[in-house]
């Protein structure tokens, strides 16, 4: 509802419209703010909530009715955002990373189309929002700590702003001002987190390399390799060890290309793989948890001490869509039974490595594409009906084809006469 009452399960109860919300100016980070990773300090920090300045709401109806969208769970942060628009933004739905995956929806009207960001996981979160605003909120775009940028939701053009979270903070909610038809105003709510859950321990500096799509023509394949090693420091003390790596996708050609048809090859040095309990697993993610795609399991019942390079798979198709991503994460899990050194501390192969592997990404360079997604209606008590995005009604499409053929026939007859 937008009349100030609270009679619908899917809308947030309004708060009093703040005359001056707590204000934190956008933070100007010394480095690219979208690639700054939050602190992994194991010491709990005091819980702090900060509000951005107001954006939009400059028209005759000002902010409208203001609703605060926050999770009741302690230190929950936003893990997914859905936005509804008719050109201007007129609705938003937030999902949190709490145990129940709660969500909250506020909308000005039933018209419009819902589109969503991807769900963030692990210790990734939203720490930047790009928007245009004036009388109303014209469009919204969200950026994660992994530098993954969502499509821009909304097509109207007003004043442009980029809003950054304070260092170590994540998007925890919003205050939104709702008018009769559109979202008039918005404030972003940032909060700090105690720690981030990693598997099995806080990760080291993540090895990375750039993959330059600009070195080939559009439609051609580019190949990028990253070799990585991890020294085994103690015999018999390995738990499941997870080693993440990343590829940054860049375009030195000055364009805005993306990675189509993503594939991965993986090879490793066979140091200690004699047995069913000795293996490597490659994940298409930087963290290991149920639901994350396993690309392959390598090394089972191999050899120990051969020290030869083994190819586990070549140019295997990946499951994720990278058309809106400029970073690709992978993780190598090493089973506890694998060793890089023997019981005397001697290296099994040169270097005494627990991991000695090479990952090679293959991409077909294509022009920019920004697909969208619909909200998960299973998590929304009363979702708005969502039409299929980007496709015409078949009857309408058929009428257009018939009309085109008729016009072509008339033109042909006219030219003949």
């Amino acid at each position: 509802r937008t009349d100030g009452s609270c009679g619908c399960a899917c809308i947030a109860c309004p708060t009093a419209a703040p005359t001056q919300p707590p204000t934190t100016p956008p933070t100007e980070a010394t480095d690219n703010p979208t690639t700054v990773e939050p602190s992994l300090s194991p010491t709990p920090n005091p819980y702090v909530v900060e509000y951005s300045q107001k954006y939009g709401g400059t028209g005759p109806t000002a902010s409208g009715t203001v609703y605060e969208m926050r999770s009741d769970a302690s230190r929950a942060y936003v893990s997914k955002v859905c936005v509804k628009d008719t050109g201007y933004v007129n609705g938003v739905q937030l999902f949190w990373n709490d145990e129940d995956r709660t969500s909250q929806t506020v909308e000005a009207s039933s018209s419009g189309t819902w589109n969503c960001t991807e769900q963030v996981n692990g210790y990734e979160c939203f720490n930047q929002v790009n928007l245009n605003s004036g009388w109303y909120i014209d469009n919204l775009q969200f950026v994660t700590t992994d530098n993954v940028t969502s499509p821009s939701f909304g097509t109207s053009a007003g004043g442009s702003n980029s809003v950054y979270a304070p260092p170590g903070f994540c998007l925890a909610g919003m205050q939104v001002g709702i008018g009769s038809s559109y979202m008039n105003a918005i404030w972003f709510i940032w909060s700090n987190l105690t720690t981030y859950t990693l598997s099995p321990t806080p990760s080291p500096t993540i090895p990375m390399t750039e993959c330059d799509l600009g070195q080939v023509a559009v439609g051609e394949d580019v190949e990028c390799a990253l070799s990585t090693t991890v020294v085994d420091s103690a015999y018999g003390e390995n738990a499941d060890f997870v080693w993440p790596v990343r590829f940054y996708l860049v375009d030195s050609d000055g364009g805005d290309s993306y990675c189509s048809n993503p594939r991965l090859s993986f090879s490793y040095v066979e140091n200690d793989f004699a047995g069913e309990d000795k293996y490597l697993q490659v994940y298409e993610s930087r963290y290991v948890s149920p639901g994350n795609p396993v690309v392959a399991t390598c090394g089972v019942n191999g050899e120990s001490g051969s020290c030869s390079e083994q190819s586990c798979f070549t140019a295997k198709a990946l499951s994720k869509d990278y058309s809106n991503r400029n970073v690709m994460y992978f993780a190598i899990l090493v089973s506890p039974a694998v060793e890089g050194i023997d019981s005397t501390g001697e290296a099994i192969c040169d270097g005494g490595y627990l991991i000695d592997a090479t990952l090679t990404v293959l991409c077909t360079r294509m022009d920019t594409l920004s697909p969208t997604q619909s909200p998960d209606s299973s998590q929304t008590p009363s979702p708005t009906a969502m039409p299929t995005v980007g496709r015409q009604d078949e009857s309408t499409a058929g009428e257009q084809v018939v009309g085109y053929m008729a016009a072509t026939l008339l033109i042909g007859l006219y030219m003949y006469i």
Side-chain angles (χ1 to χ4, degrees):
R1 291 189 181 181
T2 58
D3 59 1
S5 64
C6 189
C8 175
C10 65
I11 193 167
C13 294
T15 61
T19 55
Q20 183 61 49
T23 301
T24 301
T27 303
E28 295 295 337
T30 54
D31 297 316
N32 184 343
T34 62
T35 60
V36 175
E37 294 185 358
S39 169
L40 297 177
S41 169
T43 304
N45 300 312
Y47 185 50
V48 179
V49 175
E50 296 190 12
Y51 290 69
S52 74
Q53 68 184 56
K54 182 180 81 170
Y55 295 90
T58 62
T61 57
S63 298
T65 303
V66 177
Y67 300 84
E68 179 155 321
M69 307 177 71
R70 287 274 301 280
S71 171
D72 293 332
S74 175
R75 297 180 181 266
Y77 60 89
V78 175
S79 60
K80 180 179 176 181
V81 183
C82 297
V83 179
K84 186 169 71 168
D85 76 277
T86 55
Y88 295 108
V89 173
N90 69 348
V92 65
Q93 181 183 28
L94 302 184
F95 295 83
W96 284 274
N97 71 324
D98 55 10
E99 184 176 349
D100 296 327
R101 294 291 180 182
T102 56
S103 66
Q104 205 170 16
T105 303
V106 174
E107 53 189 349
S109 68
S110 59
S111 59
T113 301
W114 285 103
N115 295 294
C116 300
T117 68
E118 291 189 4
Q119 178 85 32
V120 299
N121 292 288
Y123 59 90
E124 182 184 8
C125 67
F126 296 108
N127 69 341
Q128 178 184 341
V129 183
N130 304 321
L131 74 156
N132 291 82
S133 61
W135 284 19
Y136 311 114
I137 303 303
D138 301 305
N139 58 67
L140 295 167
Q141 183 181 55
F142 300 88
V143 183
T144 75
T145 49
D146 278 351
N147 204 20
V148 176
T149 302
S150 77
S152 182
F153 306 123
T155 57
S156 299
S160 177
N161 288 281
S162 291
V163 189
Y164 303 124
F169 282 56
C170 294
L171 183 66
M174 298 177 185
Q175 282 185 327
V176 294
I178 297 296
S180 59
S181 300
Y182 307 117
M183 183 183 294
N184 290 7
I186 193 167
W187 296 258
F188 301 104
I189 304 173
W190 311 106
S191 70
N192 64 336
L193 309 176
T194 46
T195 57
Y196 291 87
T197 301
L198 300 176
S199 174
T201 56
S203 72
T205 301
I206 300 176
M208 60 82 65
T209 191
E210 287 189 347
C211 189
D212 184 8
L213 302 175
Q215 62 183 297
V216 299
V218 174
E220 293 184 354
D221 283 351
V222 62
E223 182 177 297
C224 309
L226 185 155
S227 295
T228 185
T229 56
V230 178
V231 174
D232 191 354
S233 58
Y235 176 80
E237 296 183 9
N238 298 327
D240 277 333
F241 183 83
V242 179
W243 185 247
V245 299
R246 60 185 165 186
F247 292 77
Y248 278 114
L249 304 174
V250 299
D251 186 352
S252 63
D253 198 27
D256 194 16
S257 303
Y258 70 94
C259 174
S260 176
N261 188 23
R263 290 146 287 160
L264 182 70
S265 300
F266 180 76
S267 62
Y268 63 98
V269 172
E270 191 175 47
N271 51 4
D272 180 31
F273 289 95
E276 293 184 356
D277 59 345
K278 298 184 177 185
Y279 56 86
L280 304 173
Q281 282 186 323
V282 181
Y283 285 75
E284 192 182 353
S285 172
R286 70 173 174 187
Y287 58 95
V288 174
S289 66
N292 284 333
V294 179
V295 183
T297 300
C298 314
V300 177
N301 290 323
E303 294 183 17
S304 289
S306 76
C307 302
S308 60
E309 184 174 8
Q310 302 291 318
S311 174
C312 182
F313 55 87
T314 302
K316 188 168 184 176
L318 298 174
S319 63
K320 292 186 178 181
D321 177 8
Y322 292 93
S323 57
N324 280 310
R325 294 171 176 261
N326 59 3
V327 63
M328 305 173 77
Y329 273 100
F330 304 97
I332 305 169
L333 180 146
V334 187
S335 70
V338 174
E339 301 286 352
I341 56 178
D342 61 23
S343 58
T344 67
E346 292 295 319
I348 295 175
C349 297
D350 288 346
Y353 296 124
L354 187 65
I355 297 175
D356 187 353
T358 299
L359 300 92
T360 303
V361 164
L362 294 95
C363 289
T364 303
R365 179 188 175 186
M366 298 299 288
D367 290 331
T368 299
L369 175 67
S370 297
T372 53
Q373 298 172 313
S374 297
D376 183 353
S377 59
S378 66
Q379 300 187 45
T380 309
S382 301
T384 303
M386 290 163 284
T388 302
V389 180
R391 294 184 62 183
Q392 292 179 304
D393 178 77
E394 291 182 3
S395 60
T396 304
E399 290 171 4
Q400 291 182 349
V401 171
V402 171
Y404 175 80
M405 294 175 64
T408 304
L409 180 59
L410 288 172
I411 292 171
L413 290 172
Y414 174 78
M415 294 179 66
Y416 178 79
I417 293 170

